[in-house]
Amino acid sequence: MDSDVLNSCVVVMHLHYLESVSFFLRYAHNIPNEISLIFTCSSKDVHKEIDRNMSLVNREYIVIEKNNRGRDISALLVACRTTILQYKYVCFL
């Protein structure tokens, strides 16, 4: 795949339940480093678990904490709005 396409992609993953973080991050570990990775969560415990789990791989990522309002779609459209506007392709999980 063209590197310009990869560099214009972002995966946004909303993680809410602490007990499911490690399950979903197994998939995040397989996303190529050229694709940006953003996590949204609504608790400090989930944020800490994301950091702990992502420390196992050598890649950059962003964690955005948001209030648990509007469910997962507000994580994408509100919490990540200014960030995702920088990308041509967005995948939301």
Side-chain angles (χ1 to χ4, degrees):
M1 188 177 286
D2 186 347
S3 64
D4 289 336
V5 172
L6 287 173
N7 292 325
S8 64
C9 297
V10 63
V11 173
V12 180
M13 190 177 287
H14 180 65
L15 301 172
H16 178 71
Y17 298 105
L18 181 61
E19 53 277 353
S20 67
V21 170
S22 61
F23 174 80
F24 287 106
L25 289 185
R26 286 186 295 164
Y27 295 102
H29 291 183
N30 293 311
I31 296 170
N33 287 343
E34 298 83 10
I35 296 175
S36 297
L37 188 55
I38 300 171
F39 298 102
T40 59
C41 62
S42 56
S43 79
K44 297 219 180 287
D45 289 337
V46 171
H47 189 157
K48 287 178 190 174
E49 185 62 16
I50 291 168
D51 287 340
R52 187 194 67 73
N53 198 295
M54 290 302 291
S55 70
L56 303 173
V57 293
N58 185 23
R59 74 158 303 147
E60 293 183 25
Y61 63 95
I62 298 170
V63 178
I64 298 173
E65 286 187 35
K66 63 169 276 331
N67 291 333
N68 191 25
R69 243 183 257 172
R71 304 289 185 233
D72 62 337
I73 200 67
S74 75
L76 175 66
L77 299 177
V78 178
C80 295
R81 181 182 178 275
T82 57
T83 305
I84 65 171
L85 288 175
Q86 301 171 32
Y87 295 93
K88 186 173 182 178
Y89 303 102
V90 177
C91 175
F92 181 62
L93 307 168

